[in-house]
Amino acid sequence: MDQRVVTLDNMNPHVIKMEYAVRGPLVIRATQLEKELQAGAQKPFSVVTKANIGDAHAMGQKPITFIRQVVSICLTPTLLDDPSFPDDAKQRAREVMAGCKGSSLGSYSDSAGIESIRRHVASYIQARDGHPSSWENIILCSGASEGIRGIMKLMVRHDNGNKPGVMIPIPQYPLYSASIAEFDLHQIGYYLDESTNWGLDLSEMERAYEEAKAVCTPKALVVINPGNPTGNVLSRENIEAVIKFAHERNLFLFADEVYQDNVYADGCKFHSFKKVTSEMGAPYNQMELASFMSCSKGYMGECGLRGGYAEVTNMDPEVKTMYLKSISAKLCPTTLGQAVMACVVNPPREGEPSYEQFLTEKKGVLSSLAQRAKMVVEAFNSVPGMSCNIVQGAMYAFPQIMLPEKAIAAARKAGQEPDVFYAFQLLENTGICIVPGSGFGQRPGTYHFRTTILPQPEMLKTMLEKFREFHTKFVEQYQ
Amino acid sequence: MDQRVVTLDNMNPHVIKMEYAVRGPLVIRATQLEKELQAGAQKPFSVVTKANIGDAHAMGQKPITFIRQVVSICLTPTLLDDPSFPDDAKQRAREVMAGCKGSSLGSYSDSAGIESIRRHVASYIQARDGHPSSWENIILCSGASEGIRGIMKLMVRHDNGNKPGVMIPIPQYPLYSASIAEFDLHQIGYYLDESTNWGLDLSEMERAYEEAKAVCTPKALVVINPGNPTGNVLSRENIEAVIKFAHERNLFLFADEVYQDNVYADGCKFHSFKKVTSEMGAPYNQMELASFMSCSKGYMGECGLRGGYAEVTNMDPEVKTMYLKSISAKLCPTTLGQAVMACVVNPPREGEPSYEQFLTEKKGVLSSLAQRAKMVVEAFNSVPGMSCNIVQGAMYAFPQIMLPEKAIAAARKAGQEPDVFYAFQLLENTGICIVPGSGFGQRPGTYHFRTTILPQPEMLKTMLEKFREFHTKFVEQYQ
Ligand SMILES: Cc1ncc(COP(=O)(O)O)c(C=O)c1O
Ligand SMILES: Cc1ncc(COP(=O)(O)O)c(C=O)c1O
């Protein structure tokens, strides 16, 4: 056999370095276990519970009927004549098709998306915030991931030995650390404050910035609100403070707002960065800001269809031209994902035939999620050795676990991080797949895990019981 | 106003460098013209003809009914009870849904795609080639573009001052030059031989390789077959020769085979690189090879739905693990695009209810394309000062145009490449939008353009007449 051309020794070192824990070794093992169970293997559990990923439909959540109707009509326009499809769905489908070349979703759209949908997104933002939004600042994308990566990529350069730095929260959604590693940017982690329900701590951000300045050129600041994995919803004061922080230091703001519909806790409210910068007035309303939305989350949970948008405010026009050029080579985001976003930003209105059902479905999902958010937190807080902040929003809890010294030693002996060791034990013993805190980042010496709140209520209840049992046994074993 | 954070001066220089002519300034102008016409402006034409991009549905081609039925059912499973949808479409939809978590296309799939669809792709390749294909080597992607870029990215590294080099044909599909620029790889262009209908010329490849060796580390060789923009279909001998060439020089092969269903000329046949390497036996069947397919081309033309796959043969297992990890952060290709690919690789079979209609539609598109391929070539060859190779396959003609000295001088004066100047004149005078040869690459001192053969027959006829008129006048004007 000849020597291979591309090997671990000569391939892209940044691809080797990047990690994406949400789909890491634990998930691979969980999938294996599922197959083993199917093949009849005996395990201490009969079903694998994948609480590792924010994937609502995978956990049994039903799609929103209206969205599916619109996109089905878009694909099979003869359904326009089918009386079982409501008129508002037909009207939305007609409008999407009219925006497609040759009236077919099978044609490439503009790389930034179908103009009529970009306009609807801008109207949605304008109505949400009470401040103008321009459709030309809206870039549709195949999931928020694509938008985030595409804009982050604009900052990459390596010619002066001093890498551009990107500030990200710790714990963070690992798309950020993975993209920073892949693009060979400098990661500037700022710890979120577990003692204030994972809020932003300005002095910690200051520390992170000052330390990083010596080794990189800080360029951007990422905020995830509502937070993944933390479940935190930022207060308006916190947002204002972070905007001032970014302005003083001349940082490009990334506002990851994909969970904007997922706010559960009393007294919490979603405030978009766009709205807050607008209301703070000059100079804050002139800052470069990219904010991201997705159809994967919220009440719709249409992850697989890959829809999303970026709103890009105050980007240098020449840079924006380059951005648009850079996405053009990839041709276009999926038109179907765009059509889903069209429904999300322009849902049935009062008086339209689908309105009641849409509202019932939407509220049903969101209120059930709110219940489950509570249920998870209560369950974890009732287990000795676990403590869990309130899940104010998003779809996750990120509890801290106290691990016995002997368990830590056993993990080290096995060559694993203690939280990874714990997660593997949990998986092998209960079939529950969660993601260890080290996949998101955590203060040294603390251990956490992330679980989604997405299993349907009955399944979640069983999962939480099994969890308690496991944790108790685990602690006993290593006491 | 503050200084912006990200400017042309400090942004990613590789993004600035990249160009993607298929969607460049001409297309932007064409879109403007469309809007001006809509707004009632007077122009020497009443309609803009976008012959710049291989986008069949945009030019009026109808979708394949079966494909649309399957995906509509996948999105609205209640259509399983609708008697107007045929049983084979229902069966395919059931199978796709069964492969999705929670039976919903709204759940994220594995990053490499839904297993059952990957298995169907492997069976399709096996049946096509008569050689084994393993489903674990199939990576589904949102259009072939994503697969091509994802694998090319594995080769990037800049630590030894000697960039990895990628050999690409000239003229080429500009996704390659754009990605090479963006990834900061070294582009090694090898000229295709216009005198042999744009075939591969081994001595020219040798020249390109030898010259490049001094300034980069050649790592990969890209072949596009059937060719874009050339319309060439490679002979089996040519393919064998290029495989040997790549083997001797230890190059990773990229076989861009997205036009594998688009072969028109008598005596021409599509031979996949996978089949040919398999039949050549050792050591050729052990070479690293990635081949790409898409649902955007062929007879289906589902560009906007973004489906495709890469078959990755003999990739180093550790490198493959890294590849799979690198795509995991992007979560997954659109499940709907995957469902389209499922139909492409597993179409209605003889005896199934959709078989006749499917075959009629497929043959209808392909035979009409074959006719148009002929029509375009004949028309261009009948214009004095134009010469056009046979369009054996794909969807494009790439004729050479002789430009008068004075036209070249006028172009230079206007600060444009002569072929760009010509293309702008054509657009402003006739509304026809084509892509200048310089967007794909051409031998210095020669001028070409690429047009698709996709306008429907009547429109194409008109376009070709207007083209002849324009060209004649243009030459007269600058004689
Ligand atoms: C905070 C955050 N941002 C972005 C994304 C990307 O989602 P998508 O690409 O599916 O839109 C996710 C997905 O989990 C997320 O949690
Ligand atoms: C040669 C070639 N490769 C790849 C592609 C990418 O197509 P898609 O990303 O739509 O699958 C195209 C599109 O025109 C092409 O012509």
Side-chain angles (χ1 to χ4, degrees):
Chain A
M1 175 93 209
D2 298 327
Q3 169 64 30
R4 288 232 167 68
V5 181
V6 182
T7 63
L8 219 47
D9 294 334
N10 68 22
M11 73 172 282
N12 188 333
H14 308 301
V15 168
I16 296 179
K17 194 176 155 208
M18 66 162 280
E19 292 297 343
Y20 183 72
V22 177
R23 297 209 151 186
L26 265 149
V27 188
I28 294 169
R29 177 66 186 140
T31 306
Q32 240 171 31
L33 284 171
E34 271 177 338
K35 287 201 175 179
E36 292 176 21
L37 281 175
Q38 268 169 26
Q42 288 299 315
K43 301 275 166 196
F45 49 88
S46 59
V47 58
V48 173
T49 309
K50 287 197 172 162
N52 58 292
I53 186 164
D55 189 354
H57 290 201
M59 300 311 280
Q61 185 179 306
K62 292 281 158 280
I64 299 291
T65 307
F66 179 76
I67 294 177
R68 293 302 186 92
Q69 285 172 332
V70 172
V71 291
S72 296
I73 300 170
C74 285
L75 291 172
T76 299
T78 52
L79 294 172
L80 285 168
D81 303 324
D82 185 329
S84 69
F85 283 74
D87 282 346
D88 46 357
K90 289 177 182 169
Q91 178 267 329
R92 298 295 195 288
R94 270 199 202 91
E95 205 185 313
V96 171
M97 287 188 278
C100 294
K101 298 176 181 92
S103 300
S104 171
L105 271 77
S107 56
Y108 292 120
S109 74
D110 289 350
S111 305
I114 296 167
E115 182 177 321
S116 63
I117 302 180
R118 293 167 75 193
R119 288 182 184 273
H120 277 300
V121 171
S123 307
Y124 160 84
I125 293 173
Q126 200 154 323
R128 182 194 68 191
D129 292 346
H131 295 280
S133 167
S134 155
W135 72 270
E136 284 168 300
N137 290 340
I138 308 298
I139 316 291
L140 298 174
C141 35
S142 292
S145 307
E146 188 178 86
I148 294 165
R149 290 167 54 85
I151 294 177
M152 194 179 281
K153 187 184 292 169
L154 299 176
M155 304 182 182
V156 176
R157 72 184 293 155
H158 301 115
D159 43 4
N160 62 359
N162 212 2
K163 291 184 191 174
V166 179
M167 297 188 72
I168 62 171
I170 302 291
Q172 49 105 28
Y173 174 59
L175 170 68
Y176 291 99
S177 52
S179 302
I180 287 171
E182 187 190 318
F183 297 155
D184 195 23
L185 294 163
H186 186 84
Q187 173 174 322
I188 311 172
Y190 60 92
Y191 288 110
L192 299 174
D193 184 3
E194 189 162 10
S195 71
T196 59
N197 215 74
W198 298 113
L200 291 176
D201 171 356
L202 268 287
S203 63
E204 161 60 13
M205 294 180 78
E206 178 78 33
R207 177 210 57 79
Y209 179 87
E210 289 301 325
E211 279 183 30
K213 242 179 28 182
V215 293
C216 73
T217 310
K219 286 295 257 183
L221 168 61
V222 175
V223 179
I224 308 174
N225 178 46
N228 176 4
T230 63
N232 171 275
V233 176
L234 287 178
S235 69
R236 174 146 184 149
E237 293 66 45
N238 231 191
I239 294 176
E240 286 189 15
V242 82
I243 289 169
K244 285 184 184 156
F245 175 92
H247 180 260
E248 275 162 29
R249 289 159 190 81
N250 209 29
L251 299 172
F252 189 113
L253 272 169
F254 283 69
D256 184 329
E257 303 177 328
V258 301
Y259 296 100
Q260 56 191 265
D261 286 316
N262 299 98
V263 176
Y264 315 118
D266 290 341
C268 286
K269 196 171 170 302
F270 169 71
H271 306 277
S272 78
F273 270 72
K274 174 79 182 311
K275 179 184 166 81
V276 179
T277 50
S278 299
E279 290 176 0
M280 287 167 76
Y284 306 107
N285 61 3
Q286 287 156 26
M287 289 173 69
E288 289 147 270
L289 166 67
S291 82
F292 303 95
M293 174 60 170
S294 167
C295 67
S296 302
K297 313 297 170 183
Y299 52 90
M300 48 284 178
E302 292 284 9
C303 303
L305 301 182
R306 312 307 292 128
Y309 71 75
E311 184 188 23
V312 180
T313 319
N314 297 319
M315 184 181 266
D316 180 293
E318 291 177 315
V319 174
K320 193 164 155 199
T321 303
M322 292 298 147
Y323 175 42
L324 292 175
K325 184 188 70 175
S326 76
I327 59 176
S328 74
K330 301 196 295 175
L331 295 166
C332 71
T334 155
T335 52
L336 195 100
Q338 296 182 49
V340 174
M341 282 315 293
C343 299
V344 170
V345 297
N346 185 22
R349 284 179 290 260
E350 215 171 329
E352 290 187 324
S354 304
Y355 182 70
E356 299 298 336
Q357 185 182 358
F358 173 78
L359 218 64
T360 308
E361 291 177 357
K362 174 177 169 174
K363 283 191 178 162
V365 170
L366 290 177
S367 68
S368 170
L369 282 173
Q371 264 184 353
R372 282 178 266 165
K374 271 202 183 137
M375 196 168 136
V376 166
V377 174
E378 279 166 18
F380 286 138
N381 279 331
S382 76
V383 179
M386 277 201 196
S387 70
C388 185
N389 273 324
I390 296 173
V391 176
Q392 301 172 319
M395 302 179 165
Y396 314 93
F398 196 67
Q400 183 166 165
I401 39 176
M402 321 299 154
L403 296 182
E405 284 306 321
K406 278 190 193 153
I408 296 173
R412 302 275 182 232
K413 214 173 138 193
Q416 286 180 323
E417 286 296 317
D419 55 353
V420 175
F421 178 77
Y422 178 89
F424 267 109
Q425 295 282 317
L426 176 74
L427 176 62
E428 298 288 346
N429 284 289
T430 65
I432 301 171
C433 181
I434 46 100
V435 186
S438 47
F440 307 92
Q442 55 199 350
R443 283 202 181 262
T446 67
Y447 303 107
H448 301 76
F449 63 86
R450 186 190 81 171
T451 178
T452 73
I453 59 167
L454 295 175
Q456 293 298 304
E458 268 316 296
M459 195 178 183
L460 187 61
K461 222 174 123 193
T462 316
M463 177 182 118
L464 292 169
E465 276 158 19
K466 286 207 279 181
F467 218 126
R468 160 194 297 275
E469 227 175 89
F470 165 79
H471 188 81
T472 313
K473 268 202 204 141
F474 181 90
V475 171
E476 270 171 28
Q477 183 182 349
Y478 291 102
Q479 210 59 297
Chain B
M1 174 92 208
D2 299 328
Q3 169 64 30
R4 288 232 168 68
V5 182
V6 181
T7 63
L8 219 48
D9 293 335
N10 68 22
M11 72 172 282
N12 188 332
H14 308 300
V15 168
I16 296 180
K17 195 176 154 205
M18 67 162 281
E19 294 295 344
Y20 183 71
V22 176
R23 297 209 152 184
L26 266 149
V27 188
I28 293 169
R29 177 69 187 137
T31 306
Q32 241 172 31
L33 284 172
E34 272 177 337
K35 288 201 173 177
E36 291 176 21
L37 281 175
Q38 269 170 24
Q42 289 299 314
K43 301 277 165 195
F45 48 88
S46 58
V47 59
V48 173
T49 310
K50 287 197 173 162
N52 58 294
I53 187 165
D55 190 355
H57 290 201
M59 301 310 282
Q61 185 179 305
K62 292 281 157 283
I64 299 291
T65 306
F66 179 76
I67 294 178
R68 292 302 186 93
Q69 286 173 330
V70 172
V71 291
S72 296
I73 301 169
C74 285
L75 291 172
T76 299
T78 51
L79 293 172
L80 285 168
D81 302 325
D82 185 329
S84 69
F85 283 73
D87 282 345
D88 44 359
K90 290 176 181 171
Q91 178 267 329
R92 298 297 195 287
R94 269 198 204 93
E95 206 185 312
V96 171
M97 288 188 276
C100 294
K101 297 175 182 96
S103 300
S104 171
L105 271 77
S107 56
Y108 292 121
S109 74
D110 289 350
S111 305
I114 296 166
E115 182 176 322
S116 63
I117 302 180
R118 294 167 75 193
R119 288 182 183 273
H120 278 300
V121 170
S123 305
Y124 160 85
I125 293 172
Q126 200 154 325
R128 181 195 69 192
D129 293 345
H131 296 279
S133 167
S134 157
W135 72 271
E136 284 169 298
N137 290 340
I138 308 298
I139 317 291
L140 297 174
C141 34
S142 292
S145 307
E146 187 177 85
I148 294 165
R149 290 167 54 84
I151 294 177
M152 193 178 282
K153 185 184 293 168
L154 299 177
M155 303 179 184
V156 176
R157 71 186 294 154
H158 302 115
D159 43 3
N160 60 0
N162 211 2
K163 292 183 191 174
V166 179
M167 297 188 71
I168 62 171
I170 302 290
Q172 49 106 26
Y173 174 58
L175 170 68
Y176 290 99
S177 52
S179 302
I180 287 171
E182 186 189 320
F183 296 155
D184 195 22
L185 294 163
H186 186 84
Q187 172 173 322
I188 312 172
Y190 61 91
Y191 289 111
L192 298 174
D193 184 3
E194 189 162 12
S195 72
T196 59
N197 214 74
W198 298 114
L200 291 176
D201 171 357
L202 269 286
S203 63
E204 162 58 15
M205 294 180 76
E206 178 78 33
R207 177 210 58 79
Y209 178 86
E210 290 301 325
E211 279 183 30
K213 242 179 27 181
V215 293
C216 74
T217 309
K219 286 294 256 184
L221 168 60
V222 174
V223 179
I224 307 173
N225 177 48
N228 175 5
T230 62
N232 171 277
V233 176
L234 288 179
S235 69
R236 173 143 186 151
E237 293 66 45
N238 232 190
I239 295 175
E240 286 189 14
V242 83
I243 289 169
K244 286 184 182 156
F245 175 93
H247 180 261
E248 276 163 27
R249 287 158 192 83
N250 210 29
L251 299 172
F252 190 113
L253 272 169
F254 282 70
D256 184 330
E257 302 176 329
V258 300
Y259 296 101
Q260 57 192 264
D261 286 316
N262 299 98
V263 176
Y264 316 118
D266 290 340
C268 286
K269 197 171 170 305
F270 169 71
H271 306 277
S272 78
F273 269 72
K274 174 79 181 312
K275 180 183 163 82
V276 179
T277 50
S278 299
E279 290 176 359
M280 288 167 76
Y284 306 107
N285 61 4
Q286 288 157 25
M287 289 174 69
E288 288 146 271
L289 165 68
S291 82
F292 304 95
M293 173 62 169
S294 167
C295 67
S296 302
K297 313 297 169 183
Y299 53 90
M300 47 284 179
E302 293 283 10
C303 303
L305 301 182
R306 314 305 292 129
Y309 71 75
E311 184 189 24
V312 179
T313 319
N314 297 318
M315 185 181 265
D316 180 292
E318 290 176 316
V319 174
K320 194 165 154 198
T321 302
M322 292 296 146
Y323 175 42
L324 292 174
K325 183 188 69 177
S326 76
I327 60 175
S328 75
K330 302 196 296 174
L331 296 167
C332 71
T334 154
T335 51
L336 196 98
Q338 295 182 50
V340 174
M341 282 314 294
C343 299
V344 170
V345 298
N346 185 23
R349 283 178 292 259
E350 215 172 329
E352 290 186 325
S354 303
Y355 183 69
E356 298 298 336
Q357 185 182 358
F358 172 79
L359 218 63
T360 308
E361 291 177 358
K362 173 177 169 174
K363 283 190 178 161
V365 171
L366 290 178
S367 68
S368 170
L369 283 172
Q371 265 184 351
R372 284 178 265 165
K374 271 202 182 137
M375 199 168 132
V376 166
V377 174
E378 279 166 19
F380 286 137
N381 280 330
S382 75
V383 180
M386 278 200 194
S387 70
C388 185
N389 273 324
I390 296 172
V391 176
Q392 300 171 320
M395 301 179 165
Y396 315 93
F398 196 66
Q400 184 167 164
I401 39 177
M402 321 300 153
L403 296 182
E405 284 306 323
K406 279 191 192 152
I408 295 173
R412 302 273 182 233
K413 214 171 137 194
Q416 286 179 323
E417 286 295 317
D419 56 353
V420 174
F421 178 78
Y422 178 89
F424 267 109
Q425 295 283 318
L426 176 74
L427 176 62
E428 298 289 345
N429 284 287
T430 65
I432 301 171
C433 181
I434 46 99
V435 186
S438 47
F440 307 92
Q442 53 200 350
R443 282 200 182 263
T446 67
Y447 303 106
H448 300 77
F449 62 86
R450 186 191 81 170
T451 179
T452 73
I453 60 168
L454 295 176
Q456 293 298 303
E458 269 314 296
M459 195 178 186
L460 186 61
K461 224 176 120 193
T462 316
M463 174 181 121
L464 293 170
E465 277 158 18
K466 286 207 280 181
F467 218 126
R468 160 195 296 276
E469 229 175 88
F470 165 79
H471 188 80
T472 314
K473 270 202 204 141
F474 181 89
V475 170
E476 270 171 26
Q477 183 182 348
Y478 291 102
Q479 210 58 296

